[in-house]
mmCIF file of all heavy atoms in Angstrom:
data_model
loop_
_atom_site.group_PDB
_atom_site.id
_atom_site.type_symbol
_atom_site.label_atom_id
_atom_site.label_comp_id
_atom_site.label_asym_id
_atom_site.label_seq_id
_atom_site.Cartn_x
_atom_site.Cartn_y
_atom_site.Cartn_z
ATOM 1 N N TYR A 1 9.738 5.278 -7.090
ATOM 2 C CA TYR A 1 9.790 3.939 -6.477
ATOM 3 C C TYR A 1 8.388 3.527 -6.053
ATOM 4 O O TYR A 1 7.752 4.217 -5.240
ATOM 5 C CB TYR A 1 10.727 3.922 -5.270
ATOM 6 C CG TYR A 1 12.150 4.356 -5.590
ATOM 7 C CD1 TYR A 1 12.548 5.669 -5.375
ATOM 8 C CD2 TYR A 1 13.052 3.451 -6.156
ATOM 9 C CE1 TYR A 1 13.829 6.074 -5.689
ATOM 10 C CE2 TYR A 1 14.333 3.861 -6.483
ATOM 11 C CZ TYR A 1 14.724 5.173 -6.232
ATOM 12 O OH TYR A 1 15.989 5.570 -6.556
ATOM 13 N N LEU A 2 7.911 2.466 -6.635
ATOM 14 C CA LEU A 2 6.599 1.933 -6.287
ATOM 15 C C LEU A 2 6.783 0.604 -5.588
ATOM 16 O O LEU A 2 7.490 -0.286 -6.067
ATOM 17 C CB LEU A 2 5.748 1.724 -7.534
ATOM 18 C CG LEU A 2 4.323 1.221 -7.267
ATOM 19 C CD1 LEU A 2 3.490 2.304 -6.566
ATOM 20 C CD2 LEU A 2 3.660 0.762 -8.562
ATOM 21 N N VAL A 3 6.151 0.486 -4.411
ATOM 22 C CA VAL A 3 6.142 -0.772 -3.645
ATOM 23 C C VAL A 3 4.716 -1.255 -3.535
ATOM 24 O O VAL A 3 3.867 -0.560 -2.913
ATOM 25 C CB VAL A 3 6.790 -0.590 -2.263
ATOM 26 C CG1 VAL A 3 6.754 -1.895 -1.484
ATOM 27 C CG2 VAL A 3 8.220 -0.078 -2.389
ATOM 28 N N VAL A 4 4.412 -2.387 -4.123
ATOM 29 C CA VAL A 4 3.066 -2.982 -4.064
ATOM 30 C C VAL A 4 3.081 -4.100 -3.041
ATOM 31 O O VAL A 4 3.799 -5.103 -3.255
ATOM 32 C CB VAL A 4 2.608 -3.490 -5.430
ATOM 33 C CG1 VAL A 4 1.211 -4.104 -5.330
ATOM 34 C CG2 VAL A 4 2.651 -2.371 -6.469
ATOM 35 N N ILE A 5 2.342 -3.933 -1.939
ATOM 36 C CA ILE A 5 2.217 -4.991 -0.935
ATOM 37 C C ILE A 5 0.901 -5.714 -1.228
ATOM 38 O O ILE A 5 -0.175 -5.153 -1.066
ATOM 39 C CB ILE A 5 2.240 -4.415 0.474
ATOM 40 C CG1 ILE A 5 3.513 -3.615 0.724
ATOM 41 C CG2 ILE A 5 2.097 -5.544 1.494
ATOM 42 C CD1 ILE A 5 3.594 -2.966 2.092
ATOM 43 N N PHE A 6 1.010 -6.945 -1.694
ATOM 44 C CA PHE A 6 -0.153 -7.687 -2.176
ATOM 45 C C PHE A 6 -0.500 -8.750 -1.160
ATOM 46 O O PHE A 6 0.170 -9.779 -1.050
ATOM 47 C CB PHE A 6 0.131 -8.288 -3.542
ATOM 48 C CG PHE A 6 -1.071 -8.606 -4.350
ATOM 49 C CD1 PHE A 6 -2.004 -7.620 -4.639
ATOM 50 C CD2 PHE A 6 -1.270 -9.892 -4.859
ATOM 51 C CE1 PHE A 6 -3.128 -7.916 -5.403
ATOM 52 C CE2 PHE A 6 -2.384 -10.175 -5.632
ATOM 53 C CZ PHE A 6 -3.327 -9.180 -5.913
ATOM 54 N N GLN A 7 -1.600 -8.510 -0.425
ATOM 55 C CA GLN A 7 -1.980 -9.384 0.677
ATOM 56 C C GLN A 7 -3.089 -10.343 0.281
ATOM 57 O O GLN A 7 -3.481 -10.402 -0.897
ATOM 58 C CB GLN A 7 -2.371 -8.529 1.880
ATOM 59 C CG GLN A 7 -1.205 -7.714 2.477
ATOM 60 C CD GLN A 7 -0.175 -8.601 3.136
ATOM 61 O OE1 GLN A 7 0.806 -9.011 2.505
ATOM 62 N NE2 GLN A 7 -0.365 -8.898 4.405
ATOM 63 N N GLU A 8 -3.654 -11.054 1.263
ATOM 64 C CA GLU A 8 -4.524 -12.169 0.954
ATOM 65 C C GLU A 8 -5.917 -12.036 1.621
ATOM 66 O O GLU A 8 -6.027 -11.755 2.799
ATOM 67 C CB GLU A 8 -3.889 -13.466 1.455
ATOM 68 C CG GLU A 8 -2.662 -13.907 0.707
ATOM 69 C CD GLU A 8 -2.983 -14.527 -0.642
ATOM 70 O OE1 GLU A 8 -3.893 -15.351 -0.692
ATOM 71 O OE2 GLU A 8 -2.331 -14.130 -1.622
ATOM 72 N N ASN A 9 -6.947 -12.196 0.799
ATOM 73 C CA ASN A 9 -8.269 -12.674 1.253
ATOM 74 C C ASN A 9 -8.975 -11.781 2.257
ATOM 75 O O ASN A 9 -9.311 -12.202 3.369
ATOM 76 C CB ASN A 9 -8.111 -14.064 1.844
ATOM 77 C CG ASN A 9 -7.683 -15.077 0.795
ATOM 78 O OD1 ASN A 9 -6.690 -14.865 0.084
ATOM 79 N ND2 ASN A 9 -8.419 -16.154 0.677
ATOM 80 N N VAL A 10 -9.289 -10.568 1.864
ATOM 81 C CA VAL A 10 -10.016 -9.626 2.713
ATOM 82 C C VAL A 10 -10.988 -8.828 1.873
ATOM 83 O O VAL A 10 -10.589 -8.235 0.873
ATOM 84 C CB VAL A 10 -9.054 -8.652 3.432
ATOM 85 C CG1 VAL A 10 -9.825 -7.563 4.147
ATOM 86 C CG2 VAL A 10 -8.160 -9.399 4.426
ATOM 87 N N SER A 11 -12.269 -8.792 2.269
ATOM 88 C CA SER A 11 -13.203 -7.894 1.627
ATOM 89 C C SER A 11 -13.150 -6.511 2.296
ATOM 90 O O SER A 11 -12.668 -6.387 3.408
ATOM 91 C CB SER A 11 -14.625 -8.447 1.708
ATOM 92 O OG SER A 11 -15.140 -8.298 3.051
ATOM 93 N N PHE A 12 -13.658 -5.512 1.608
ATOM 94 C CA PHE A 12 -13.630 -4.154 2.185
ATOM 95 C C PHE A 12 -14.430 -4.101 3.482
ATOM 96 O O PHE A 12 -13.922 -3.605 4.508
ATOM 97 C CB PHE A 12 -14.178 -3.156 1.179
ATOM 98 C CG PHE A 12 -14.118 -1.738 1.704
ATOM 99 C CD1 PHE A 12 -12.980 -0.979 1.567
ATOM 100 C CD2 PHE A 12 -15.223 -1.179 2.351
ATOM 101 C CE1 PHE A 12 -12.900 0.314 2.066
ATOM 102 C CE2 PHE A 12 -15.181 0.121 2.852
ATOM 103 C CZ PHE A 12 -14.001 0.869 2.708
ATOM 104 N N ASP A 13 -15.639 -4.614 3.504
ATOM 105 C CA ASP A 13 -16.458 -4.562 4.727
ATOM 106 C C ASP A 13 -15.822 -5.341 5.870
ATOM 107 O O ASP A 13 -16.014 -4.994 7.043
ATOM 108 C CB ASP A 13 -17.855 -5.089 4.444
ATOM 109 C CG ASP A 13 -18.791 -4.047 3.820
ATOM 110 O OD1 ASP A 13 -18.457 -2.850 3.872
ATOM 111 O OD2 ASP A 13 -19.847 -4.447 3.321
ATOM 112 N N HIS A 14 -15.050 -6.363 5.569
ATOM 113 C CA HIS A 14 -14.433 -7.186 6.596
ATOM 114 C C HIS A 14 -13.416 -6.359 7.415
ATOM 115 O O HIS A 14 -13.254 -6.625 8.605
ATOM 116 C CB HIS A 14 -13.743 -8.386 5.955
ATOM 117 C CG HIS A 14 -13.242 -9.415 6.927
ATOM 118 N ND1 HIS A 14 -14.039 -10.013 7.855
ATOM 119 C CD2 HIS A 14 -11.993 -9.949 7.102
ATOM 120 C CE1 HIS A 14 -13.327 -10.889 8.569
ATOM 121 N NE2 HIS A 14 -12.080 -10.858 8.130
ATOM 122 N N TYR A 15 -12.775 -5.410 6.797
ATOM 123 C CA TYR A 15 -11.797 -4.553 7.484
ATOM 124 C C TYR A 15 -12.285 -3.132 7.728
ATOM 125 O O TYR A 15 -11.829 -2.499 8.699
ATOM 126 C CB TYR A 15 -10.496 -4.502 6.676
ATOM 127 C CG TYR A 15 -9.467 -5.566 7.007
ATOM 128 C CD1 TYR A 15 -9.800 -6.689 7.776
ATOM 129 C CD2 TYR A 15 -8.153 -5.466 6.550
ATOM 130 C CE1 TYR A 15 -8.864 -7.668 8.080
ATOM 131 C CE2 TYR A 15 -7.201 -6.431 6.854
ATOM 132 C CZ TYR A 15 -7.549 -7.522 7.596
ATOM 133 O OH TYR A 15 -6.613 -8.480 7.917
ATOM 134 N N PHE A 16 -13.126 -2.613 6.880
ATOM 135 C CA PHE A 16 -13.460 -1.175 6.952
ATOM 136 C C PHE A 16 -14.985 -0.910 7.007
ATOM 137 O O PHE A 16 -15.407 0.209 6.837
ATOM 138 C CB PHE A 16 -12.878 -0.438 5.745
ATOM 139 C CG PHE A 16 -11.391 -0.304 5.800
ATOM 140 C CD1 PHE A 16 -10.579 -1.126 5.036
ATOM 141 C CD2 PHE A 16 -10.790 0.668 6.577
ATOM 142 C CE1 PHE A 16 -9.188 -0.981 5.065
ATOM 143 C CE2 PHE A 16 -9.421 0.828 6.612
ATOM 144 C CZ PHE A 16 -8.604 -0.008 5.858
ATOM 145 N N GLY A 17 -15.771 -1.965 7.284
ATOM 146 C CA GLY A 17 -17.233 -1.801 7.215
ATOM 147 C C GLY A 17 -17.781 -0.733 8.120
ATOM 148 O O GLY A 17 -18.774 -0.065 7.803
ATOM 149 N N THR A 18 -17.164 -0.520 9.319
ATOM 150 C CA THR A 18 -17.681 0.490 10.253
ATOM 151 C C THR A 18 -16.748 1.694 10.381
ATOM 152 O O THR A 18 -16.911 2.514 11.276
ATOM 153 C CB THR A 18 -17.908 -0.111 11.656
ATOM 154 O OG1 THR A 18 -16.659 -0.596 12.172
ATOM 155 C CG2 THR A 18 -18.919 -1.249 11.590
ATOM 156 N N TYR A 19 -15.757 1.784 9.491
ATOM 157 C CA TYR A 19 -14.836 2.947 9.514
ATOM 158 C C TYR A 19 -15.629 4.235 9.335
ATOM 159 O O TYR A 19 -16.530 4.291 8.494
ATOM 160 C CB TYR A 19 -13.818 2.787 8.378
ATOM 161 C CG TYR A 19 -12.806 3.920 8.305
ATOM 162 C CD1 TYR A 19 -11.654 3.891 9.077
ATOM 163 C CD2 TYR A 19 -13.022 5.027 7.462
ATOM 164 C CE1 TYR A 19 -10.710 4.919 8.998
ATOM 165 C CE2 TYR A 19 -12.088 6.042 7.402
ATOM 166 C CZ TYR A 19 -10.946 5.991 8.147
ATOM 167 O OH TYR A 19 -10.021 7.008 8.082
ATOM 168 N N PRO A 20 -15.330 5.302 10.106
ATOM 169 C CA PRO A 20 -14.244 5.421 11.069
ATOM 170 C C PRO A 20 -14.687 5.269 12.519
ATOM 171 O O PRO A 20 -14.049 5.802 13.427
ATOM 172 C CB PRO A 20 -13.766 6.849 10.807
ATOM 173 C CG PRO A 20 -15.030 7.591 10.516
ATOM 174 C CD PRO A 20 -15.907 6.627 9.758
ATOM 175 N N GLY A 21 -15.766 4.515 12.732
ATOM 176 C CA GLY A 21 -16.273 4.348 14.115
ATOM 177 C C GLY A 21 -15.849 3.032 14.720
ATOM 178 O O GLY A 21 -16.310 1.945 14.273
ATOM 179 N N ALA A 22 -14.991 3.073 15.728
ATOM 180 C CA ALA A 22 -14.547 1.873 16.414
ATOM 181 C C ALA A 22 -15.266 1.736 17.754
ATOM 182 O O ALA A 22 -15.670 2.735 18.367
ATOM 183 C CB ALA A 22 -13.038 1.934 16.646
ATOM 184 N N THR A 23 -15.399 0.517 18.232
ATOM 185 C CA THR A 23 -16.112 0.243 19.483
ATOM 186 C C THR A 23 -15.322 0.702 20.711
ATOM 187 O O THR A 23 -15.889 1.133 21.724
ATOM 188 C CB THR A 23 -16.424 -1.244 19.589
ATOM 189 O OG1 THR A 23 -17.110 -1.680 18.411
ATOM 190 C CG2 THR A 23 -17.281 -1.565 20.798
ATOM 191 N N ASN A 24 -13.996 0.569 20.672
ATOM 192 C CA ASN A 24 -13.079 0.996 21.736
ATOM 193 C C ASN A 24 -13.383 0.378 23.104
ATOM 194 O O ASN A 24 -13.508 1.071 24.133
ATOM 195 C CB ASN A 24 -13.072 2.521 21.849
ATOM 196 C CG ASN A 24 -12.406 3.200 20.673
ATOM 197 O OD1 ASN A 24 -11.469 2.652 20.082
ATOM 198 N ND2 ASN A 24 -12.877 4.364 20.290
#
């Protein structure tokens, strides 16, 4: 069973640019 969740309009750096360091 494959489920593809296809979302909208995000670049990698926009969500993960500083991963795995969060400001907290």
Side-chain angles (χ1 to χ4, degrees):
Y1 302 97
L2 182 69
V3 179
V4 180
I5 303 177
F6 202 56
Q7 295 292 92
E8 292 283 315
N9 295 53
V10 171
S11 74
F12 182 85
D13 277 345
H14 188 56
Y15 269 14
F16 288 102
T18 62
Y19 180 86
T23 306
N24 290 327

